């Protein structure tokens, strides 16, 4: 969700209170204040005050009042916002893999020619709540895996190849409030782009209440 001027000002005021109370060093305050004034979304604002109590309080974290909704287990708040660690992937007569804990840029481009690659977003962070992933496969293949409860849009073209989404019935789930929106676009020529919804091991344990 887009942040308003009022919300940016509210976060800036919390930061000023925190530095006045000695909770933040001057350089950290200046860094966070600059980020708050430049923030465009709630996901960028929430991490700036999550570790700070409300002004005059030592109990309630200021981030608890964040307007950013949580996902099924509260983890989506933690996973949205922050600088991207990768914005592109390229394979030519080879392959690439992005998986585990990485931060997806709000615009990400993947290209594979005479090779292949895999983008696993199930444990990733997201630079913004909405990300655009462009996939281009020429005589090669790209696989994309997301958790079933994200907002997913797939809109690609396959020419003598395939571009689409496949998910087993057992992996179907409704998108939850606060989950990121992932748009996957592009084309496949004599190759394929396969998008799949599939729970990670950690996600499945949380879903079933396992340890």
């Amino acid at each position: 969700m887009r942040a308003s001027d009022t919300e940016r000002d509210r976060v800036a005021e919390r930061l000023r209170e925190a530095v006045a109370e000695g909770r933040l060093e001057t350089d950290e305050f200046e860094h966070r204040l600059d980020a708050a004034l430049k923030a465009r979304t709630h996901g960028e604002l929430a991490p700036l005050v999550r570790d700070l109590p409300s002004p005059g309080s030592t109990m309630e974290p200021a981030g608890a009042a964040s307007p950013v909704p949580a996902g099924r287990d509260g983890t989506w708040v933690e996973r949205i916002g922050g600088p991207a660690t990768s914005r592109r992937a390229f394979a030519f007569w080879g392959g690439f893999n992005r998986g585990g804990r990485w931060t997806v840029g709000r615009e990400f481009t993947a290209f594979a020619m005479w090779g292949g690659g895999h983008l696993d977003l199930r444990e990733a962070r997201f630079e913004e709540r909405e990300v655009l992933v462009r996939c281009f496969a020429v005589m090669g293949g790209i696989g994309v895996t997301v958790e079933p409860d994200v907002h997913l849009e797939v809109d690609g073209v396959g020419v003598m190849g395939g571009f689409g989404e496949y998910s087993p019935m057992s992996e179907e789930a409704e998108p939850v409030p606060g989950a990121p929106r992932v748009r996957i676009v592009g084309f496949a020529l004599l190759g394929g782009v396969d998008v799949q919804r599939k729970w990670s091991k950690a996600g499945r344990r949380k879903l079933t209440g396992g340890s």
Side-chain angles (χ1 to χ4, degrees):
M1 293 179 65
R2 292 284 177 172
S4 67
D5 288 338
T6 300
E7 289 161 337
R8 281 186 284 268
D9 291 343
R10 187 180 302 126
V11 170
E13 184 59 30
R14 285 179 180 173
L15 294 173
R16 295 187 185 98
E17 291 283 347
V19 75
E21 293 173 354
R23 302 182 189 278
L24 289 177
E25 297 293 337
T26 302
D27 56 346
E28 177 69 10
F29 163 71
E30 292 175 350
H31 173 76
R32 294 196 190 193
L33 180 62
D34 182 64
L37 297 178
K38 293 178 180 178
R40 292 178 295 175
T41 67
H42 290 165
E44 293 173 295
L45 287 174
L48 300 176
V49 293
R50 185 175 294 124
D51 60 345
L52 300 175
S54 299
S57 169
T58 60
M59 299 296 294
E60 181 185 357
S66 168
V68 183
R72 54 187 160 79
D73 56 3
T75 59
W76 285 124
V77 170
E78 304 292 335
R79 291 173 56 186
I80 296 177
T85 59
S86 184
R87 297 185 184 275
R88 62 187 62 86
F90 178 84
F92 180 77
W93 284 103
F96 62 78
N97 182 64
R98 298 288 188 278
R101 298 184 178 182
W102 62 295
T103 303
V104 187
R106 62 187 179 90
E107 293 188 4
F108 187 95
T109 301
F111 177 84
M113 182 174 183
W114 294 328
H118 184 220
L119 304 175
D120 191 340
L121 311 185
R122 292 176 297 173
E123 296 181 12
R125 293 178 58 90
F126 298 83
E127 184 179 22
E128 294 190 2
R129 191 168 298 280
E130 181 169 337
V131 298
L132 174 66
V133 179
R134 302 184 182 93
C135 294
F136 305 100
V138 180
M139 290 183 283
I142 298 175
V144 184
T145 307
V146 302
E147 288 188 294
D149 58 355
V150 304
H151 301 269
L152 178 66
E153 299 177 19
V154 179
D155 185 14
V157 177
V159 180
M160 301 181 69
F163 196 121
E165 174 190 352
Y166 167 75
S167 297
M169 292 289 292
S170 60
E171 301 293 335
E172 292 184 355
E174 292 293 327
V176 298
R181 182 177 301 278
V182 180
R183 296 183 57 226
I184 301 176
V185 301
F187 72 83
L189 174 64
L190 294 171
V193 174
D194 179 32
V195 183
Q196 185 175 19
R197 296 174 183 261
K198 186 177 181 181
W199 293 112
S200 64
K201 291 182 180 179
R204 190 178 296 280
R205 284 197 300 268
K206 291 174 182 176
L207 186 70
T208 58
S211 58

